[in-house]
């Protein structure tokens, strides 16, 4: 397909059938299929190859149960691709893992085809039941009328070593597609395609087939890649099987007319009698350790483009209709949880992350907001800088964003070679407010990266995974714009440490209110986590609350502006920091509740709070006994950074480039 600039892009998708642990493809088979897909993509001069792992969840079970399997599949696919990375020069290779119920596999696969504008879908034969088994393929709908060209890779296919390729021509509707794919492989391997015409010995010839054979390939530019061969045999099948023994690879068209009477057999096994006969010969040769016959690829042309785009529009309408269903939100959140929940260990290969960053032309900034953190700031900087800046250039800059600390926080950063800014002095024309959210908002002006990572500086167990774990999903998944961390949060009470119990405002305030008013966000494990990252193009469009409500405001605004799929979360394992007193947590909960009500007022056009509601009465125990201490608690809101003239001027070239694209 051509993009908006007229550049022709050819996109290939390999869909791997990974139906839970019991039926999961073994690694050797996955590697074989990937090598075949890689060879096919290179042979067709594709611009991208997407490897899709589909995790099945039993019908009636929550899709969220597929989260761990999805993480395992992502890691495995990455390993397989990394093993063959030297063969991918000039080809964009990416992985996608999706989770669906057993009955929705075909719908999920078609959605991926539509979302990624795929031109050629590759499937392994494992998608179809082996001969003798009952039932049909879970992707029957895809095979019946594929939205793009389709090729089924049979056992024994080795595209990289296939020089002699056979293409029987009988006038089928998929012959042109088969020839184009076969010729690409032959050209890639300096080989040749043999167009085969089998003539029956009884003289009962077919004039239509003969004419189709003569016409096939006439318009092909490189005719030296193609030779024509006619043979006589007692049957078409016998002639093809005999000739196949002298070739490395054979392309066959799929059954064109799928009648109801033949449908069950076809969907059990799309390899027809000829293909099965060829494969049987191959199996027999392997048992005798004789010269092994060819691998088989079955091809089927995709639906016309008008059907493709009509289907795309219909999918959009179906999705809109599903929004009103009772179980839509629950299923949406379950699916999001399974697909967008990551583990930091998935991204522990820092060299691979650096390669991904460079190949995408991205830069990454780490911003460290701080106020009087001399006890921990040095360890935070050292633990991150040593691995992710000095040894591996994952980070392009590390910057301290200080809020006028009165201890040695700034001096320690300077001693470690880290530049710093006082947030109150950034953008002086915009004034200065208190709060972490204000520091984060202003840090966008001084940080240079395309991806911005923020981590708190009161962490007592700072680890590089806090940074690479947050950056990883953004480098891997283009659809993700913003990533939150989550972790175990031990809590200290007096001199005793409990391994659970942290995140009290999260569990008692934020998650209950999200479940009530913004249920799409109910799958977030720790929405108030102080470690998160985002793409600049996303962050600069978000308002920032200046205090405790900054994270809550971000998530609600991300949901409204970019959709749930733009948010990811990653397991950072364990976070140890100083725990706040109950009074401070009460004020935090009060401020965050105001933010949620503020967004409800905007969405529902209601007015729920007045100025008097911004004051909170705290119960204090003083010399005179219990008394009420009234405090005004309100998170002010900063506009999206894109609305600030100084920022637009500083990023003018980038914004002009984006608008032109």
């Amino acid at each position: 397909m051509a993009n908006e600039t007229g550049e022709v892009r050819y996109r290939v998708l390999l869909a791997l059938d990974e139906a839970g642990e019991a039926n999961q493809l073994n690694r050797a088979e996955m590697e074989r299929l990937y090598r075949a897909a890689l060879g096919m993509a290179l042979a067709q001069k594709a611009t991208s190859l997407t490897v899709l792992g589909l995790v099945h969840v039993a019908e009636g079970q929550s899709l969220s149960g597929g989260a761990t399997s999805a993480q395992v599949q992502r890691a495995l696919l990455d390993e397989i691709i990394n093993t063959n990375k030297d063969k991918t020069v000039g080809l964009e290779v990416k992985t996608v893992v999706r989770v669906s119920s057993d009955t929705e596999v075909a719908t999920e696969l078609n959605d991926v085809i539509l979302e990624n504008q795929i031109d050629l879908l590759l499937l392994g034969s494992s998608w179809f039941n082996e001969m003798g088994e009952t039932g049909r393929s879970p992707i029957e709908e895809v095979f019946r009328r594929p939205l793009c060209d389709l090729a089924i890779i049979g056992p024994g296919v080795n595209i990289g070593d296939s020089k002699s390729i056979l293409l029987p021509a009988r006038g089928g509707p998929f012959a042109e597609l088969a020839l184009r794919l076969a010729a690409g492989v032959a050209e890639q391997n300096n080989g040749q395609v043999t167009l085969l015409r089998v003539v029956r010995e009884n003289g009962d010839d077919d004039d239509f087939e003969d004419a189709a054979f003569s016409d096939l390939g006439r318009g092909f530019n490189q005719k030296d890649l193609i030779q024509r061969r006619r043979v006589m045999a007692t049957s078409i099948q016998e002639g093809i099987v005999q000739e196949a023994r002298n070739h490395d690879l054979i392309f066959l068209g799929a059954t064109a007319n799928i009648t109801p009477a033949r449908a069950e057999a076809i969907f059990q096994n799309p390899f027809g009698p000829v293909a099965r006969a060829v494969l049987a010969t191959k199996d027999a040769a392997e048992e005798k350790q004789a010269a092994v016959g060819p691998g088989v690829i079955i091809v089927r042309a995709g639906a016309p483009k008008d059907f493709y785009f009509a289907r795309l529009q219909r999918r959009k309408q179906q999705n809109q209709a599903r929004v009103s269903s009772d179980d839509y939100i629950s299923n949406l959140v379950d699916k999001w949880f399974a697909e967008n929940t990551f583990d930091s260990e998935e991204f522990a290969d820092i060299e691979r992350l650096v390669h991904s960053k460079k190949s995408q032309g991205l830069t990454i900034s780490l911003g460290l907001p701080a106020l009087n953190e001399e006890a921990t700031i040095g360890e935070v900087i050292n633990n991150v800088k040593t691995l992710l800046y000095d040894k591996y250039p994952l980070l392009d800059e590390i910057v301290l964003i200080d809020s006028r600390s009165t201890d040695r926080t700034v001096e320690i950063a300077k001693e470690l070679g880290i530049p710093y800014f006082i947030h109150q002095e950034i953008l002086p024309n915009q004034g200065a407010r208190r709060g972490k959210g204000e520091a984060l908002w202003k840090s966008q002006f001084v940080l240079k990266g395309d991806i911005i990572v923020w981590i708190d500086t009161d962490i007592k167990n700072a680890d590089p995974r806090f940074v690479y774990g947050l950056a990883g999903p953004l480098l891997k998944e283009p659809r993700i714009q913003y990533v939150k961390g989550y972790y175990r949060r031990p809590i200290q009470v007096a001199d005793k440490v409990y391994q659970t119990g942290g995140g009290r405002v999260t569990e008692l305030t934020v998650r209950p209110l999200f479940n009530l008013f913004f249920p799409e966000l109910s799958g977030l494990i720790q929405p108030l986590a102080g470690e998160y990252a985002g793409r600049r193009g996303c962050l600069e469009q978000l308002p920032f609350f200046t205090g405790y409500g900054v994270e809550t405001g971000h998530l609600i605004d991300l949901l409204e502006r970019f959709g749930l799929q733009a948010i990811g979360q990653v397991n950072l394992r364990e976070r140890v920091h100083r725990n706040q007193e109950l009074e401070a947590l009460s004020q935090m909960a009060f401020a965050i509740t105001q933010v949620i009500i503020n967004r409800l007022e905007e969405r529902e056009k209601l007015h729920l709070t007045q100025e008097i509601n911004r004051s909170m009465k705290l119960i204090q125990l003083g010399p005179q006994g219990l008394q009420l201490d009234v405090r005004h608690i309100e998170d002010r809101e900063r506009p999206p950074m894109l609305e600030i003239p100084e920022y637009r001027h500083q990023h003018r070239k980038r914004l002009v480039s984006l608008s032109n694209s």
Side-chain angles (χ1 to χ4, degrees), residues 536-584:
R536 178 179 294 275
C538 164
L539 296 171
E540 66 188 7
Q541 297 182 53
L542 298 179
F544 276 58
F545 284 92
T546 56
Y548 291 128
V550 61
E551 291 92 2
T552 304
H554 277 176
L555 292 171
I556 296 173
D557 293 337
L558 280 160
L559 178 65
E560 298 291 337
R561 296 174 187 230
F562 296 94
L564 183 59
Q565 289 299 332
I567 305 172
Q569 62 182 352
V570 60
N571 183 3
L572 302 179
R573 300 305 172 90
E574 182 176 272
R575 181 187 194 274
V576 181
H577 69 140
R578 65 171 181 266
N579 303 113
Q580 298 197 54
E581 298 294 332
L582 192 59
E583 180 181 300

Side-chain angles (χ1 to χ4, degrees), residues 145-150 300-309 311:
R145 193 169 189 185
L147 297 180
C148 63
D149 294 337
L150 167 65
R300 187 176 183 84
K305 292 307 176 189
D306 57 346
F307 177 83
Y308 179 101
F309 289 110
R311 181 60 177 270

Side-chain angles (χ1 to χ4, degrees), residues 9-30:
R9 297 183 60 83
Y10 191 80
R11 302 175 177 90
V12 178
L13 172 67
L14 169 65
L16 295 174
D17 178 22
E18 297 166 305
E21 294 183 4
N23 301 319
Q24 193 176 91
L25 289 177
N26 61 54
R27 176 162 181 159
E29 177 66 1
M30 292 174 69

Side-chain angles (χ1 to χ4, degrees), residues 396-584:
D396 295 276
E397 64 174 351
I398 303 173
V399 179
L400 178 73
I401 309 297
D402 190 68
S403 298
R404 289 186 174 151
S405 295
T406 57
D407 63 4
R408 295 192 67 252
T409 297
V410 171
E411 284 73 14
I412 293 172
K414 289 168 63 177
E415 291 168 3
L416 296 174
I418 299 300
Y420 73 93
F421 291 89
I422 306 300
H423 96 247
Q424 291 88 343
E425 298 172 4
I426 301 172
L427 291 171
N429 292 340
Q430 301 300 319
R433 296 173 184 167
R434 298 179 58 187
K436 176 187 173 183
E438 173 82 351
L440 299 181
W441 181 73
K442 285 195 170 183
S443 74
Q444 296 175 91
F445 185 75
V446 296
L447 296 174
K448 302 180 181 68
D450 303 304
I451 291 173
I452 297 176
V453 181
W454 290 299
I455 66 172
D456 283 345
T457 50
D458 64 344
I459 305 171
K460 297 179 180 179
N461 65 326
D463 190 278
R465 70 174 176 271
F466 285 15
V467 176
Y468 67 68
L470 292 166
L474 294 168
L475 293 173
K476 183 172 184 60
E477 290 278 1
R479 65 178 178 165
I480 293 180
Q481 301 293 314
Y482 186 97
V483 179
K484 294 286 296 187
Y486 72 92
Y487 25 62
R488 294 189 305 275
R489 297 180 65 174
I491 182 172
Q492 184 168 350
V493 179
D495 59 348
K496 189 170 183 179
V497 176
Y498 297 89
Q499 290 304 308
T500 60
R504 289 162 286 175
V505 176
T506 290
E507 296 302 330
L508 299 177
T509 300
V510 179
R511 285 184 47 77
L513 290 176
F514 273 180
N515 275 271
L516 276 173
F517 300 117
F518 300 96
E520 297 95 330
L521 300 173
S522 60
L524 282 152
I525 296 172
Q526 285 173 335
L528 299 185
E531 286 64 49
Y532 41 97
R535 301 184 193 276
R536 178 179 294 275
C538 164
L539 296 171
E540 66 188 7
Q541 297 182 53
L542 298 179
F544 276 58
F545 284 92
T546 56
Y548 291 128
V550 61
E551 291 92 2
T552 304
H554 277 176
L555 292 171
I556 296 173
D557 293 337
L558 280 160
L559 178 65
E560 298 291 337
R561 296 174 187 230
F562 296 94
L564 183 59
Q565 289 299 332
I567 305 172
Q569 62 182 352
V570 60
N571 183 3
L572 302 179
R573 300 305 172 90
E574 182 176 272
R575 181 187 194 274
V576 181
H577 69 140
R578 65 171 181 266
N579 303 113
Q580 298 197 54
E581 298 294 332
L582 192 59
E583 180 181 300

Side-chain angles (χ1 to χ4, degrees), residues 63-74:
L63 295 180
S64 62
T68 300
S69 295
Q71 292 173 10
V72 171
Q73 295 306 331
R74 279 196 298 264

Side-chain angles (χ1 to χ4, degrees), residues 23-54:
N23 301 319
Q24 193 176 91
L25 289 177
N26 61 54
R27 176 162 181 159
E29 177 66 1
M30 292 174 69
E31 288 181 338
R32 183 188 76 83
L33 290 171
Y34 173 68
R35 287 193 297 270
L38 183 59
M40 183 67 79
L42 293 172
Q44 304 309 312
K45 297 179 173 56
T47 50
S48 69
L49 168 62
T50 300
V51 184
L52 168 67
L54 271 169

